[in-house]
Amino acid sequence: MKKVTVSSLLKKKQAGEKITSLTAYDASFAKMFDEQGIDALLIGDSLGMVLQGESDTLPVTIDDIAYHTRCVRAGTERAFVLADMPFMSYASAEQTYANAATLMAAGASMVKMEGGRWLCDTISGLQLRGVPVCGHLGLTPQSVHVFGGFKVQGREADKAQQLLEEAKALEAAGIQLLVLECVPSSLAKTISEALTIPVIGIGAGKDTDGQILVMHDMFGISANYMPKFSKNYLADTGDMRKAVQQYISDVQNGVFPSAEHSFE
């Protein structure tokens, strides 16, 4: 199979083909996911919760992400590799450039940042410096204390309109992918149709251009709880490789996420 690139992900959107993605944190799981045909792997700051046992993602450092990015890259031959910019690692432009360079040098093909319009100048600066960017809107876990917990975003009409406008602003600034987390399915559909770039959903319904899950949730081994938007594929298949294959098939065929894994 050919190596997955930003261009091939865009072609999938244009052809109406769903993009499949998972988080990964080490070479062994990255290799297994890669061999099953996953399109993209994200070294998420979710590692703070699923690997380090923290209550949220805020303690994760750029060194943590860089270490796990090197591990994932070592196990990956064809999947597209994204790396999260952790909490307060992009508070200023110069800080952002230095930390993004660290992640790209560790093996990322793109960095992901949480936030709306306030990031536009920084995103443009990263693009000029050769660093591709994935945006992240909706429930942005690094803002959990601002939101007052892990809550669905965009249910009110004004908030939905704000998210749509911010998505358009991020695209204009130069992002090449967008993650939408925990927003109503109808809003996710509207945003996906309004943007030319691929939109990857997690808890955002079936009408985004692709899906991503935290691998520990997909295997039903997360330490705390199973989010509503996830599904334990290991329980259904009894084998990790088959679980990944089933997840990929369900996303590609529009079976996952179903209404029970979505928000209205």
Side-chain angles (χ1 to χ4, degrees):
M1 291 182 283
K2 292 183 178 179
K3 192 171 181 64
V4 181
T5 65
V6 169
S7 296
S8 60
L9 293 175
L10 179 59
K11 287 179 181 177
K12 276 183 170 286
K13 175 178 175 118
Q14 294 168 341
E17 299 173 3
K18 296 292 187 180
I19 296 165
T20 60
S21 48
L22 287 167
T23 64
Y25 314 97
D26 64 39
S28 296
F29 277 108
K31 185 174 187 294
M32 180 176 70
F33 298 159
D34 193 48
E35 289 175 345
Q36 307 318 306
I38 204 80
D39 292 317
L41 296 173
L42 169 68
I43 300 86
D45 57 5
S46 50
L47 68 86
M49 302 174 76
V50 298
L51 298 187
Q52 298 173 342
E54 303 285 356
S55 59
D56 54 44
T57 65
L58 304 192
V60 176
T61 67
I62 199 74
D63 289 338
D64 291 334
I65 299 290
Y67 170 81
H68 289 281
T69 299
R70 286 193 295 272
C71 295
V72 169
R73 174 54 72 188
T76 306
E77 292 187 7
R78 48 160 298 283
F80 191 72
V81 176
L82 303 90
D84 259 340
M85 295 280 286
F87 180 64
M88 291 300 289
S89 67
Y90 45 102
S92 68
E94 293 306 317
Q95 178 194 35
T96 304
Y97 301 154
N99 286 329
T102 296
L103 298 185
M104 296 295 284
S109 296
M110 177 178 279
V111 299
K112 182 171 76 64
M113 305 165 69
E114 298 181 7
R117 283 190 184 86
W118 68 274
L119 282 174
C120 286
D121 288 345
T122 302
I123 290 167
S124 297
L126 284 170
Q127 290 288 320
L128 288 172
R129 289 159 177 81
V131 179
V133 180
C134 174
H136 186 156
L137 291 172
L139 172 56
T140 47
Q142 292 173 20
S143 300
V144 61
H145 295 305
V146 175
F147 295 147
F150 295 96
K151 299 178 179 180
V152 178
Q153 301 297 306
R155 277 183 161 149
E156 303 85 356
D158 60 331
K159 298 295 185 183
Q161 184 62 32
Q162 180 182 349
L163 283 174
L164 173 59
E165 291 174 359
E166 293 205 327
K168 291 179 178 178
L170 291 177
E171 181 177 43
I175 64 167
Q176 293 173 281
L177 290 174
L178 176 66
V179 169
L180 276 182
E181 181 169 356
C182 288
V183 301
S185 300
S186 57
L187 174 58
K189 183 177 188 292
T190 297
I191 293 175
S192 299
E193 291 175 348
L195 302 187
T196 60
I197 61 172
V199 177
I200 311 299
I202 177 167
K206 65 181 179 61
D207 293 312
T208 53
D209 304 305
Q211 300 292 327
I212 185 167
L213 287 178
V214 173
M215 56 165 281
H216 292 68
D217 293 342
M218 189 199 69
F219 290 141
I221 56 173
S222 291
N224 298 320
Y225 74 103
M226 176 66 73
K228 168 185 167 65
F229 54 74
S230 193
K231 180 178 179 179
N232 183 349
Y233 276 92
L234 184 58
D236 290 344
T237 60
D239 178 89
M240 284 186 170
R241 288 175 176 79
K242 290 181 181 178
V244 177
Q245 292 166 7
Q246 189 62 54
Y247 166 68
I248 291 172
S249 175
D250 283 358
V251 171
Q252 290 175 338
N253 294 313
V255 175
F256 178 84
S258 64
E260 68 179 291
H261 307 111
S262 305
F263 302 99
E264 295 301 336

